């Protein structure tokens, strides 16, 4: 696991721990393909953003897919269908 993936894991685990300490149990996310999508935003140091972009380019993935893979690696339910690139592509004629 890369340093970036480890950082994502630590952040998610800390958030889950705070929720449990505050008396809230983490709920499994809906993995239905028609589930409504909502924004999830975080602020990261510029150096981290640069590393993420380079890793995504190297893997041929978008940031969304990489973050979902990281979330999945710490136990968040993410279906395989959610790991696809959802950006529209123009057909070459």
């Amino acid at each position: 696991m890369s340093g970036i993936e480890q950082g994502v894991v630590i952040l998610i685990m800390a958030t889950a721990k705070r929720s449990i300490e505050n008396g809230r149990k983490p709920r499994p996310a809906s993995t239905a393909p028609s589930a409504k999508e909502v924004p999830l935003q975080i602020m990261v140091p510029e150096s981290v953003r640069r590393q993420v972009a380079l890793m995504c380019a190297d893997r041929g993935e978008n940031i969304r897919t990489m973050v979902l893979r990281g979330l999945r690696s710490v136990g968040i339910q993410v279906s395989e269908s959610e790991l696809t690139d959802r950006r529209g592509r123009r057909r070459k004629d």
Side-chain angles (χ1 to χ4, degrees):
M1 186 180 303
S2 73
I4 294 170
E5 291 168 332
Q6 288 174 342
V8 170
V9 170
I10 291 168
L11 176 66
I12 293 167
M13 291 175 72
T15 302
K17 182 180 177 186
R18 278 194 303 271
S19 293
I20 292 168
E21 288 171 351
N22 291 332
R24 296 185 306 258
K25 293 182 181 179
R27 291 178 285 154
S30 171
T31 57
S34 62
K36 178 182 175 185
E37 292 198 355
V38 296
L40 174 66
Q41 295 180 305
I42 60 168
M43 298 297 289
V44 296
E46 185 178 350
S47 63
V48 171
R49 173 62 171 90
R50 197 174 317 112
Q51 291 175 69
V52 170
L54 290 170
M55 183 178 285
C56 288
D58 186 50
R59 293 180 178 191
E61 294 181 336
N62 61 34
I63 293 175
R64 176 186 182 275
T65 300
M66 191 173 89
V67 169
L68 288 174
R69 283 188 199 284
L71 292 170
R72 183 193 240 186
S73 74
V74 296
I76 304 295
Q77 294 179 1
V78 178
S79 68
E80 193 65 34
S81 65
E82 291 295 330
L83 298 177
T84 59
D85 189 348
R86 298 207 170 168
R87 295 176 293 181
R89 302 282 187 208
R90 291 190 177 158
R91 290 180 34 188
K92 294 182 179 180
D93 292 329

